[in-house]
Each structure stands twice: as structure tokens, then as C-alpha cells.
Amino acid sequence: MPAVVPVGRLAAGPQPVLVLTGGLELRPWRLDDADADALHTAGRDPAISHWNLFTVGSRAEARARIERLHARRRDETGVIWAVAPRGGAAVGLAGLNDVDLAGGTAEVVYWVLPEARGGGLAVAATRRLVRWALSDLGLHRLVLCHSTANPASCRVAEKAGFTFEGTQRSALLHADGWHDQHLHARVAGDPE
Ligand SMILES: CC(C)(COP(=O)(O)OP(=O)(O)OC[C@H]1O[C@@H](n2cnc3c(N)ncnc32)[C@H](O)[C@@H]1OP(=O)(O)O)[C@@H](O)C(=O)NCCC(=O)NCCS
């Protein structure tokens, strides 16, 4: 079987900037103080550290994490954007983890800083990156998973056009123990 997406396509060229409405965009994470501080803040937010399973102890650790994000695109195992106002610091993150170019699959991930929540940012960012992943990169299937105790994430999945495919039992280990998770997916050709 030929690869669904040829090896090398994700790492080729610079990471694109994906424009959103309202002066916002998805753009690569920067190694500057503003983005490092945004990531550090996210790592201390109780909801983000709980649901996205990460903590960031310092600005230096945040920079190292940003470097690893870029390395993952070079390795073609992930591609992660900052969600930000044009010219401003990151207020959220959206992207693809567990990219399998040969198999044509990836997992969508996101978070939004508390002050930027509730305005449709996660839905807009997810829709935009899904369009890029399926139409431009050429992946076939994207999954989106969240704990059943995280209804906000479920709503984002539904509004971004992901079909609910079922509940996986005891599938996610969070700080408070094992959680059941919802599996949602978008497949190439699904309606937006
Ligand atoms: C989940 C998260 C990314 C949503 O970001 P956001 O930019 O506020 O999302 P949006 O504004 O695009 O949409 C959120 C939707 O969820 C709904 N929502 C928010 N809290 C909710 C709750 N507790 N129960 C049900 N729905 C909820 C909102 O009303 C909105 O739906 P609506 O537009 O139909 O009213 C953000 O809350 C977050 O970062 N949470 C902490 C980390 C996290 O959960 N990450 C995802 C891990 S899978």
C-alpha cells in the first residue's frame, strides 16, 4: 500500500500561518518571552494541566517545550500552532498529535487560556486546522478524544463537525484517576 501522505510533506517548507476571522490566526509558536510566558501560564491553569496533562514550571521549561513542538513537526509526528491575535502573544494552542502520515491519521488537541474562553476560539481554530489537515496535508481521518467529565471539549468537538463514535472505558489517566473518554472523528469528505 502506498503511504496516504508521502513522507516529507509535513516537514517540507515553513509551518503555515492559518488565518481566522477577527484578526486571529494559527501561527507557529515563537521562542520569545511572550509565547513562553503564555505557555507557562497555561501549564499553571488547573483546567489545562488537568485535561491536557501538562505542567510547565518556568519560562525556561516553556522555551524547551516550544523547541520540542518544532522538533515534532520536523520528525513529522505532530504539528502544533499558537492561537493568537495577529502580532500578539498566544492565547491558545491547537494542533495535531500522533501524526501517522503513512496511515493518514492524527489526533486533534487544543486548549485556550481562561481569559480567551467562551468566544468560539477553540471551535474556530479546530475547524481551520481540520480543513488544512484534510485538504492541504491530505490526511484521511482525525480523532478527537476527551474525558466524559469534560463537556466543554465535547461541545467543541460537536461544533467542529466531529462525529461521536463511542465511549472508551477507563481510557485516560488523569490526576484523579482513570476516566472514560469520548471518541469523535472527522473523515475526509465529511460535511463541515
Ligand atoms: C475546552 C476549551 C478548549 C474550550 O475553549 P473555548 O474557546 O472556550 O471554546 P468555544 O468558545 O469555541 O466553545 C465552547 C463551547 O463549549 C460550551 N461549554 C463551555 N463550558 C461548558 C460546560 N461546562 N458544559 C457544557 N458546555 C460547555 C460553550 O458554551 C461553547 O458552546 P456554545 O458555543 O454552543 O455555547 C477551553 O475551555 C479549555 O481550554 N479548557 C481547559 C482545557 C481543556 O479542556 N482542553 C481540552 C482537552 S480534551
Side-chain angles (χ1 to χ4, degrees), residues 36-67:
D37 288 346
L39 200 58
H40 187 201
T41 302
R44 285 175 298 173
D45 176 68
I48 294 173
S49 63
H50 184 63
W51 295 126
N52 293 88
L53 294 166
F54 85 91
T55 53
V56 181
S58 65
R59 184 188 272 174
E61 203 179 313
R63 281 181 195 278
R65 203 169 248 279
I66 292 168
E67 277 172 345

Side-chain angles (χ1 to χ4, degrees), residues 51-52 110-112 117-123 150-153 155 159:
W51 295 126
N52 293 88
Y110 45 70
W111 52 254
V112 173
R117 287 179 197 156
L121 204 54
V123 171
N150 189 354
S153 193
R155 188 81 187 117
K159 291 189 77 176

Side-chain angles (χ1 to χ4, degrees), residues 119-136:
L121 204 54
V123 171
T126 302
R127 282 192 181 139
R128 184 66 191 89
L129 86 85
V130 162
R131 190 155 18 108
W132 177 85
L134 298 179
S135 300
D136 296 340

